[in-house]
Each structure stands twice: as C-alpha cells, then as structure tokens.
C-alpha cells in the first residue's frame, strides 16, 4: 500500500508539472531571440552615403545656389577601395549641362576629393520664349543630313564659367558629310540663336594588332573621359575579354599595335 501511494503521488506530481509547463508555454510563448545588432554598411554604401552627404551640403567644389541640387547618376569602383560617384546638377528642376560633378569617397565613408565642372551659381528664368519645334528647326541646319531626332529637352547650358543660359537641347542623328553624327545642338530658349553644339562621334586613333592597323569604330565621350563604345551602333564596343569591361581612357587614342 505504501508503494502504491508513493507511485500515485509521483504520478500526480508529474501531471501537475506537465500542466504547469503547458500553462507557462501558453502564457510566455516561444522564446524570442534578442534583436541582432545592425550590420555595418558595406564599402559601397559607406562611400555612396558620404558622397551624397557632401553633394547635398555643397561642400568645397560642390558649392551651389539655393535653387540648385545634385542628382546622383552613377557609381564607379576605382583603385584602392575608392569609389567615383558622379552627379548631374539641376537648377529649379532643369538639368544643367556643363555643371556635372564627381565625388571620390572611400570604403570607410570618407570624402577624398570632389570636383565640379562649374563653380559659379546658376541664375536666370526657366520659362522658354522659343518653342521646342522652332528650336528643332534651327538645330537641323547644323547637320547636313538628319535621320531622326533622338531627344529634345529644356536645359540650362553652362559654359566657360557663365551663370547659365536657358536652352533647348536637341540631339540629332544623321551624317555630317560622309561622317556619321550624333549632334547635340543648344538653341537659346529666349533669343532662338544657336549657342553651342557638340558631337558624340569623334575621330579617334586606333592601333590594333590584327584588324587594321586602324580599324573604324566610333567612340563615346568628351573632355577627359572616352570609351570604346560606338554610340551609333548599339552593342558594338571593344572590351577586356577577361572582365567584359569596355575600355575607357582619358584621351581618344587607343592601343599601340601590340598584342
């Protein structure tokens, strides 16, 4: 009898513990892990965040007026853990052609350098007096044969440190004599005169080993940045076979004829 009573008490105790455990489980619920600490920003994010902050603040070469801002366009990994972040300048919402900027930042979120194509503040009205159609008609006179109008937009054209001129930028594709052309023509939106133009197609120099010695491919770019990408023939470019990266250079002269 004593043994039977002991067994009964053990069973009752076990049952009580089971019910108690179930009650606790229902009350407390499943265990919740402590929130993990936020992961540190990646090298790319740290560099971009620093560059964006510098552009927004208008530091040093990025100085800007109250109606101006910088819109990020691209991020290019560079050497030594650096990133080149490019920006397009805007004035009262209009693109500023000739006001581009570049910020060089590192993986630790430090701005190493900044440069802007224009240092002066933009001023002036943003309402065009000349229509886009009239500006296009004027722009067409700059090209001997026009195949199509690639684009047309109202911009502020900045050149040689001036305060900017409101203009219609018309991009024409066609030919200039025997040469293919992708011509940007800027027509003053107030006076209707042509104030500037430039062609995406330029005569560079190629020195190759097997094709040529001077094969023909139109290049893209201007100033101090060119790439071996043909703007008139989509998909035609010259790239590194190992990485697939299209070749770029500070001048429009390529190769030395050696494999």
């Amino acid at each position: 009898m004593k043994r039977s009573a002991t067994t009964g008490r053990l069973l009752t105790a076990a049952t009580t513990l089971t019910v108690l455990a179930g009650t606790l489980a229902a009350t407390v619920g499943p265990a919740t892990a402590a929130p993990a600490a936020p992961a540190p920003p990646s090298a790319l994010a740290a560099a971009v965040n620093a560059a964006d902050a510098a552009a927004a603040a208008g530091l040093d070469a990025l100085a800007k007026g109250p109606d101006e801002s910088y819109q990020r366009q691209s991020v290019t990994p560079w050497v030594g853990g650096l990133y080149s972040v490019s920006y397009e300048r805007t004035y009262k919402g209009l693109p500023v052609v000739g006001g581009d900027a570049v910020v060089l930042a590192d993986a630790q979120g430090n701005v190493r350098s900044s440069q802007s194509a224009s240092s002066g503040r933009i001023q002036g009205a943003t309402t065009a007096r000349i229509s886009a159609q009239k500006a296009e008609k004027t722009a067409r006179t700059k090209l001997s044969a026009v195949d199509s109008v690639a684009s047309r937009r109202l911009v502020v054209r900045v050149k040689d440190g001036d305060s900017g001129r409101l203009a219609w930028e018309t991009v024409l594709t066609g030919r200039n004599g025997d040469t293919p052309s992708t011509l940007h023509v800027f027509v003053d939106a107030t006076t209707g005169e042509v104030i500037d133009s430039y062609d995406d197609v330029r005569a560079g120099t190629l020195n190759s080993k097997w094709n040529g010695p001077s094969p023909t491919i139109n290049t893209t770019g201007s100033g101090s940045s060119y790439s071996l990408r043909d703007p008139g023939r989509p998909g035609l470019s010259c790239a590194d076979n190992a990485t697939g990266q299209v070749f770029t250079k500070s001048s429009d002269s390529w190769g030395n004829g050696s494999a």
Side-chain angles (χ1 to χ4, degrees):
M1 295 295 293
K2 186 175 181 180
R3 182 174 180 178
S4 177
T6 303
T7 304
R9 287 196 297 270
L10 289 175
L11 290 173
T12 302
T15 303
T16 302
L17 289 174
T18 301
V19 173
L20 180 60
T23 302
L24 289 173
T27 304
V28 177
T32 303
S42 66
L44 173 62
V48 171
N49 290 340
D52 283 351
L59 300 176
D60 303 326
L62 304 174
K64 54 187 174 60
D67 295 317
E68 302 170 54
S69 63
Y70 289 102
Q71 306 296 324
R72 178 167 18 103
Q73 299 299 302
S74 64
V75 181
T76 304
W78 213 44
V79 296
L82 298 175
Y83 294 85
S84 175
V85 187
S86 67
Y87 295 86
E88 181 181 75
R89 196 172 186 168
T90 63
Y91 172 68
K92 294 184 177 180
L94 292 178
V96 178
V97 180
D100 298 0
V102 175
V103 178
L104 192 66
D106 62 28
Q108 287 71 46
N110 301 308
V111 173
R112 296 293 192 88
S113 178
S114 62
Q115 185 173 2
S116 176
S118 175
S119 58
R121 291 189 173 187
I122 311 300
Q123 300 176 0
T126 56
T127 302
R129 295 182 181 178
I130 302 297
S131 68
Q133 293 76 13
K134 186 174 182 179
E136 179 187 319
K137 184 177 180 180
T138 301
R140 284 175 172 269
T141 64
K142 302 296 290 183
L143 205 58
S144 59
V146 177
D147 295 331
S148 64
V149 177
S151 65
R152 188 173 60 192
R153 62 176 182 167
L154 190 63
V155 303
V156 176
R157 179 59 168 137
V158 175
K159 192 175 182 181
D160 300 328
D162 62 19
S163 60
R165 297 176 69 174
L166 187 66
W168 288 105
E169 179 189 12
T170 305
V171 182
L172 307 170
T173 60
R175 303 190 69 81
N176 193 4
D178 295 331
T179 306
S181 175
T182 302
L183 187 67
H184 296 244
V185 183
F186 297 87
V187 175
D188 192 299
T190 301
T191 66
E193 64 176 322
V194 175
I195 58 175
D196 195 19
S197 65
Y198 68 86
D199 204 321
D200 286 336
V201 180
R202 287 175 169 79
T205 302
L206 292 171
N207 300 288
S208 71
K209 173 66 176 178
W210 295 287
N211 298 314
S214 298
T216 300
I217 174 175
N218 298 321
T219 56
T220 300
S222 63
S224 60
S225 178
Y226 294 89
S227 66
L228 276 176
R229 188 188 305 275
D230 194 323
R233 291 178 284 181
L236 180 60
S237 60
C238 188
D240 188 310
N241 186 60
T243 65
Q245 293 290 324
V246 175
F247 290 113
T248 60
K249 197 179 178 186
S250 59
S251 64
D252 204 9
S253 177
W254 308 85
N256 58 11
S258 170

